[in-house]
Amino acid sequence: MSSRFIFITGGVTSSLGKGLASASLAALLQARGFSVLLRKLDPYLNVDPGTMSPYQHGEVFVTDDGTEADLDLGHYERFSGVEGKSSDYVTTGKIYSTVLSKERRGDYLGATVQVIPHITDEMKRFILSNTEGADFVLCEIGGTVGDIECLPYLEAIRQLRNDLGRDRVMFVHLTLLPYIPTAGELKTKPTQHSVKALLSVGIQADLLLCRCDRPIPVEEKRKLAQFCNVSSDHVIAALDASNIYRVPMQYHAEGFDEQVCRYFGFKDRPVDLTKWKAISHSLDQAKEAVRVAIVGKYVQLPDAYKSLIQALAHGGMASHLKVEIVLVDSEKDKDLEETLSTVDAIVVAGGFGERGVTGKLDTIKIARTKKIPTLGICFGMQLTVIEACRNLLGIETASSTEFGPTNEPAVGLMTEWMDEQGIQKRCAGGDLGGTMRLGAYPCELKADSLIAKTYGVSTISERHRHRYEVNTAYKDRLESVGLTFSGFSPDGTLPETLEYKDHPWFIGVQFHPELKSRPFAPHPLFVGLVNAAYEYQKKPK
Ligand code: GLN
């Protein structure tokens, strides 16, 4: 069948969870046997989020094909199991840069290049590209209706409804119904205004998904339907959930997927929610908990560690354990020893730049000497090497060239490597945007290593996002003090994984395993870490 398009916009305020809403609807459509694609169109002018601080938009999610994308693509993958690609994420900046290079090439044949039609046509091209085989394409429009930045996207999707017809396009609008305690009511006015704002650019919402902290009384539903020009069946409550993996079941109970299917004329499609029910059940069963510290410098905004926090939760789900996350500020925590004495495992998170490095190095030393189960991710692995050089080999000035010139570059700028396109070259002072080692690369694991046992296979593929690399010049010396290089790129040149021989569970990885963990396929490294945490907790100290 030709693809149907569902556009998800947001109103009233940001942070309502459009990404989760889109991902949950996609999961429900899959449960009815449809194939789905999920896409996000972000309204900012950065070409991609790669150069943005995590404080701006949270973590940068990376797909197998090396696209640096908004964290919502992580929700999409975790809920739908469909891997994101470069054709699933775009920003206004990228659209403009495509249009401007076409203009320079002379592709517009003398036309005046304008937002309408040139920018909006490029947006439409993006939405319609690479959709073969997808029954439903769910496109989330970033930002909030009413922002100037959103307007070209809204114009593009308004036009698409005319181009494709009502039977192939649906507009879902996510809004907020705030509860006002003094009035004792859920208020509908902000939603009415938001729906009007959409209407003023020619889009009539077909269905309202209303975030609320309590059920919507029938009267309020009727009022919303009447003022917003939708049927009351199309006013769906999106109640706060105790766990995000319960959201699809809640939406289903509210009739969301049924109404969407009816809209498109797919009546009575059987629905199989077995795996979502199983997940709710497994969440209920988790009675015991382990405490895992995430040590990093972006802890003020937990969204900076979105996939990591999810991957740890998946690790717990595999063993019916709750995972309590303790966010530890590697820059500000003045008593790391005390803080880390209260946890059962540690993740030394990825990161960029020298700020907060001392705290991470101290954490690694504590984890190593106190034998606390530890996973060092990307920067965490690089700093593991620096800590070992300094404290085990006595090379006091060992450092990374990321922090400035050094005579002992235990970690150095990666200037050359191979990928599918051939040899990649980089130099100091080059562009920062989109030039890291990005996306999935294979890695060979040494037989008998803890990591090979943890994965249960010897060749893995994991996603990367880094500019620097562990320097193999220090390998023999490091191995002589117990730090084993347990995984390499297939050509044997790039160290990908490390582990301490005399430690119950200490693994460092150059890649980001958290990006590939799913609730239905918890990542082996996180399952391993959580199990090691449980054992550590039970051990007499
Ligand atoms: N800053 C380091 C690098 O660029 C590590 C990056 C990361 O942790 N993702 O290599």
Side-chain angles (χ1 to χ4, degrees), residues 298 348-354 360 377-383 400 402-403 411-414 436-437 464-470 509-512 514:
Y298 310 116
V348 184
F352 293 83
E354 200 167 6
K360 283 189 174 172
I377 294 178
C378 202
F379 208 25
M381 158 160 153
Q382 297 173 358
L383 295 174
S400 166
E402 182 171 1
F403 315 143
V411 178
L413 180 69
M414 209 183 340
M436 281 188 265
R437 184 180 180 216
H464 290 248
R465 181 169 186 260
H466 57 112
R467 203 177 298 285
Y468 299 85
E469 193 80 54
V470 168
V509 293
Q510 187 56 75
F511 43 79
H512 287 273
E514 72 275 21

Side-chain angles (χ1 to χ4, degrees), residues 79-320:
F79 277 65
S80 73
V82 179
E83 290 198 353
K85 302 189 288 299
S86 65
S87 51
D88 298 323
Y89 184 68
V90 83
T91 66
T92 301
K94 181 96 179 276
I95 298 275
Y96 268 83
S97 94
T98 310
V99 169
L100 293 177
S101 23
K102 284 189 182 172
E103 186 276 333
R104 291 289 79 187
R105 273 204 311 267
D107 289 4
Y108 295 116
L109 304 173
T112 306
V113 179
Q114 293 178 297
V115 174
I116 307 171
H118 300 95
I119 294 295
T120 44
D121 278 355
E122 199 54 48
M123 291 170 168
K124 292 201 294 184
R125 217 182 326 276
F126 173 83
I127 293 167
L128 297 173
S129 68
N130 295 311
T131 57
E132 299 75 32
D135 297 330
F136 282 98
V137 181
L138 289 83
C139 292
E140 176 188 346
I141 310 295
T144 310
V145 167
D147 297 346
I148 289 178
E149 286 88 348
C150 291
L151 285 174
Y153 284 126
L154 298 180
E155 172 60 14
I157 64 174
R158 183 195 68 76
Q159 290 180 17
L160 271 177
R161 162 91 139 211
N162 282 341
D163 299 350
L164 300 174
R166 181 223 167 264
D167 52 346
R168 286 187 60 198
V169 172
M170 180 179 201
F171 295 120
V172 171
H173 190 54
L174 179 65
T175 77
L176 175 71
L177 296 191
Y179 178 77
I180 305 294
T182 45
E185 274 177 349
L186 282 172
K187 288 295 183 186
T188 64
K189 196 70 83 189
T191 299
Q192 296 179 39
H193 281 296
S194 180
V195 169
K196 265 198 199 127
L198 255 187
L199 205 51
S200 73
V201 293
I203 295 177
Q204 165 65 55
D206 295 309
L207 183 145
L208 302 178
L209 189 58
C210 306
R211 281 296 304 269
C212 46
D213 64 358
R214 64 203 65 212
I216 312 174
V218 181
E219 214 22 66
E220 256 59 45
K221 274 200 178 179
R222 205 171 293 140
K223 193 158 141 193
L224 274 170
Q226 199 168 44
F227 282 107
C228 300
N229 216 12
V230 298
S231 72
S232 345
D233 292 345
H234 283 196
V235 179
I236 305 282
L239 282 156
D240 296 347
S242 58
N243 185 294
I244 57 170
Y245 298 113
R246 296 189 202 269
V247 172
M249 290 295 293
Q250 290 191 1
Y251 280 0
H252 178 70
E254 288 289 324
F256 188 15
D257 49 320
E258 187 185 336
Q259 293 305 329
V260 170
C261 287
R262 277 174 184 266
Y263 174 93
F264 286 107
F266 301 120
K267 287 199 192 105
D268 309 323
R269 281 283 280 234
V271 57
D272 178 4
L273 291 166
T274 321
K275 65 178 191 179
W276 290 102
K277 279 186 197 144
I279 238 175
S280 293
H281 182 65
S282 118
L283 290 170
D284 292 336
Q285 283 205 321
K287 300 277 179 270
E288 287 184 271
V290 292
R291 280 165 63 82
V292 182
I294 294 180
V295 183
K297 68 175 169 185
Y298 310 116
V299 291
Q300 305 307 325
L301 184 74
D303 268 4
Y305 302 111
K306 191 93 192 178
S307 293
L308 187 51
I309 293 171
Q310 289 305 311
L312 284 163
H314 304 159
M317 278 147 82
S319 309
H320 298 308

